[in-house]
Amino acid sequence: MGNAHLHSIHVHPVKAVRGLAPREAVVEPWGLTGDRRWALVDDGGKVVTQRGQPRLALAAAELLPDGGVRLSAPGMEPLTVPVPRPLDTLPVEIFRDKVDAVPAEDDAAHAWCSAYLG
């Protein structure tokens, strides 16, 4: 086998939303810094993916220095979502795995995502 060459790195601050291509990334024990730390979850507790919502490919998320995200999408005003306080968790299903997640406390974030995805 020959030498492997890394051509690009992609980070998705919000799972299923268009990714970023930073010139460098820090690797933490659980993955790249800021990668897939956020996800959209439907009313049934399942993570929303591009398979079910292809419009997510047009949305973007910028990871902010404090861990929050700034969401943008065609036809939508950008929205900054702060990091939620880790008070309560809710069970979330991602594919067949069940994990505990901390819900965003910002009602504007829920309304923004619902309005964008219809």
Side-chain angles (χ1 to χ4, degrees):
M1 178 178 215
N3 292 329
H5 297 278
L6 179 64
H7 290 276
S8 65
I9 295 172
H10 297 269
V11 175
H12 299 260
V14 177
K15 179 162 182 47
V17 172
R18 186 175 70 221
L20 309 171
R23 295 194 49 77
E24 59 184 39
V26 174
V27 179
E28 298 173 325
W30 42 87
L32 297 175
T33 297
D35 188 44
R36 295 171 177 89
R37 300 298 187 261
W38 293 79
L40 301 179
V41 178
D42 68 16
D43 290 334
K46 292 187 177 185
V47 170
V48 179
T49 67
Q50 283 186 20
R51 287 183 196 127
Q53 291 286 348
R55 289 185 51 151
L56 286 173
L58 302 175
E62 173 190 356
L63 187 62
L64 302 175
D66 66 356
V69 292
R70 183 167 175 81
L71 302 174
S72 60
M76 301 290 294
E77 288 292 320
L79 177 72
T80 298
V81 184
V83 174
R85 294 172 293 155
L87 300 176
D88 295 316
T89 62
L90 58 96
V92 170
E93 184 177 330
I94 180 164
F95 301 109
R96 290 187 179 97
D97 295 326
K98 298 215 190 295
V99 298
D100 288 328
V102 177
E105 299 172 289
D106 188 348
D107 289 338
H110 302 296
W112 191 97
C113 294
S114 293
Y116 177 63
L117 296 176

